[in-house]
Amino acid sequence: MNSSNQQTLKSAALFERMEALLKNHGADIAKKVQCVFLFEIKPAKNQAPVYFTLDLKNGEGRIMRGKVGQVDVTFSILDEDMILMAAGKLSPQTAFTQGKLKLKGNVSMAMRFSTDILPKDAKL
Amino acid sequence: MEKPLVEVEVEESKTQDKVNEEVRATSNSMIEVLSKSTNPKHRNSKFLKFLKKLAHGAYGIENEALVKNPEKLEEFRNMEGERLKEEVVRQAEEKKASGEERQKMFERMWNGEEEIDEQLFQEMMGQWEQEGQDQDEELRGQLGGPFGSQWQSQVPEIIKDVIPFEPKNTYLDDTLTDRLTLAKELIDTGRAQEAIVCLQAEVQKNAENAEAWRLMGQLYQENDQDEYAIIAFKKAYEIDPYDLDSLLCLGISCTNELEQKDAINHLFHWLKYHPDFNHLVAAIPESADNVELDMVRAAYLEAHALKPKDSHVALALGVLAFIQRNFPDAARFFEDGIRENPTDHTLWNKYGAAMANSQNIPAALKIYHQALDLRPNYVRTMANIGLAYRSQGEYMQSMPYLLNALLLNPQATHIWSYIRSSCLQMNRLDLLEKVEQRDPNLFRGDFPQLIDPARMPKQNLDRLYENEIWNK
């Protein structure tokens, strides 16, 4: 994986921050969601994507860099749109219908994803 | 006077048509999910049929009661007949049924068609709610709880381009002479909501009072309402284009609203109009629509080297780092700002926000409480504390802070969505019922920590120098 990509990826910190949530509440979420999501995030169009695997199926759930294990659904999205989606300024449905969010894999499982579990930024 | 100012108008303008439009939209998305189901029970359920009639307009909802549209109903029946024929073919193929059996199947389905009366309607509305908790594996994922719900309905876009002014504003009284001073007194005595109303009166009487607009903007910012803050700061800036404080504040609010280009542009102009620093940006062309963050940042770093004790420069550098999502750097600059200006509660809040976003929640909480010591009715910090707890799955702990924020500022209605989400994550359906009523007072029995907005504690400076920042 390209490490310089990861540094410029704005949404990387969002995924990293999920560790704290999963530690305390992951088992509960995993029980409800039962799905492994792969996020394919492009820093910009025509740039190589960076991958994050969000396992909300096993145990307490896990967030990992890169593509890890068997994946149920893949979301492809631009870095900046991922930030908007996490902030609640772009709903997954709108992103999907506008072609900003692409799905691969089990579509009905994709619907189990909620931006509720992404950390919200604190405000200045 | 401290009642929600926005809600009233919105409710009134929400016409009957709009309600039915919403009903139809929701029905349509549920129909989509149910019709695609591989289970024939879902494809032909009473509930689905009911939804289809709603979506078609055969039935509507007026004043929470069901009304029938006979023409549309007839139209729907003809359409449904066609679909039923197809459904029979589909099921017959699945079951390899004979011609005669097919005919019977069709008749059964057709005759199953029933008028919807009030009782059936109530039953169906009950089912609507229950579908969300359906234990059926397939449906649960799509309709259940907080998961999946986002995919069913388009989030209505609420455009906030006008500040809703208090309709019956007693501060418009002509015997009042100096509303600006009065507003400042109200702020000092912890009555920020009242101060906003007073400032609204002032700008209605003196639309060119830039300071009143700016102060209003700052109060909205502290009240967790950046959209209105931006409107007010822009007014101040329009009246007085060299108003540095408004430019800096615009940089902050635009960053919060993820309008990064605007934020960078405002921060660039702060330097440009600053008598001590304008030479640093002389090389950056005035007409540039999109000023590069790196150029602005380089100029601010020079300014910081020139005047390391200028807390505004440190603040702006922190904001720029925040835009880059380099939160550890942002924290360092806000720290610098606090060293020069330790009683500025807004700097403590920003420092806490940078720490929270860089995953250091325990430190962030401590810092946020410093901000609350300095400004006990600081709504933004309360909301931030709620978000900090939520970010590590401590939903129960988040609740009193989010509710207190709403007790102080009922207009910050976006906070209800965090509360709703916390209740769902905790599986506390009992609390969810109270959420729908939108009154934080209903939670007083559940959370003894809830405050009385009329009895807020005074500023407390005792712990100001206890933070680790002073040992560095």
Side-chain angles (χ1 to χ4, degrees), chain B residues 4 42 69 98-99 102 155 184 201 208 248 340 349 437 439:
Chain B
H42 294 156
N69 181 340
S98 69
R102 283 183 195 204
V155 183
K184 286 176 185 168
E208 299 295 296
L248 196 55
E340 300 311 322
N349 175 67
Q437 300 188 47
D439 179 2

Side-chain angles (χ1 to χ4, degrees), chain A residues 1-108:
Chain A
M1 206 186 301
N2 188 333
S3 64
S4 69
N5 256 351
Q6 282 189 7
Q7 274 193 333
T8 53
L9 200 68
K10 287 182 175 173
S11 51
L14 281 183
F15 289 108
E16 281 159 14
R17 263 194 270 154
M18 290 197 68
E19 275 174 26
L21 171 73
L22 294 176
K23 206 177 101 200
N24 290 327
H25 194 60
D28 221 45
I29 297 175
K31 223 164 37 198
K32 286 183 195 162
V33 178
Q34 284 291 304
C35 184
V36 180
F37 301 103
L38 177 68
F39 289 86
E40 184 183 84
I41 315 266
K42 285 185 182 170
K45 277 177 194 156
N46 308 321
Q47 278 192 28
V50 177
Y51 293 94
F52 288 90
T53 306
L54 176 59
D55 177 347
L56 296 179
K57 189 183 243 170
N58 304 300
E60 296 180 345
R62 267 178 87 191
I63 177 74
M64 294 157 284
R65 277 172 182 260
K67 189 179 173 178
V68 185
Q70 189 74 36
V71 170
D72 296 303
V73 184
T74 303
F75 292 116
S76 306
I77 189 166
L78 276 180
D79 191 26
E80 56 190 84
D81 290 331
M82 187 67 207
I83 296 283
L84 289 175
M85 210 164 80
K89 292 203 173 280
L90 176 67
S91 84
Q93 199 198 35
T94 310
F96 180 69
T97 49
Q98 292 178 352
K100 289 176 177 168
L101 174 68
K102 293 190 178 66
L103 299 181
K104 261 181 281 176
N106 186 326
V107 175
S108 77

Side-chain angles (χ1 to χ4, degrees), chain B residues 64-98:
Chain B
E64 293 180 20
L66 189 74
V67 289
K68 189 162 77 172
N69 181 340
E71 267 171 53
K72 289 267 183 192
L73 190 58
E74 189 54 38
E75 201 180 285
F76 173 80
R77 286 208 175 124
N78 293 334
M79 272 173 44
E80 183 66 4
E82 288 305 309
R83 194 197 68 84
L84 283 179
K85 278 180 206 156
E86 283 168 28
E87 179 67 31
V88 167
V89 173
R90 187 171 166 185
Q91 281 194 31
E93 271 164 13
E94 277 163 17
K95 290 183 192 157
K96 304 201 186 319
S98 69

Side-chain angles (χ1 to χ4, degrees), chain B residues 173-191:
Chain B
D173 187 340
D174 282 320
T175 56
L176 283 174
T177 48
D178 193 354
R179 294 186 189 83
L180 196 56
T181 307
L182 179 58
K184 286 176 185 168
E185 281 167 15
L186 287 167
I187 296 169
D188 288 341
T189 51
R191 297 163 74 193

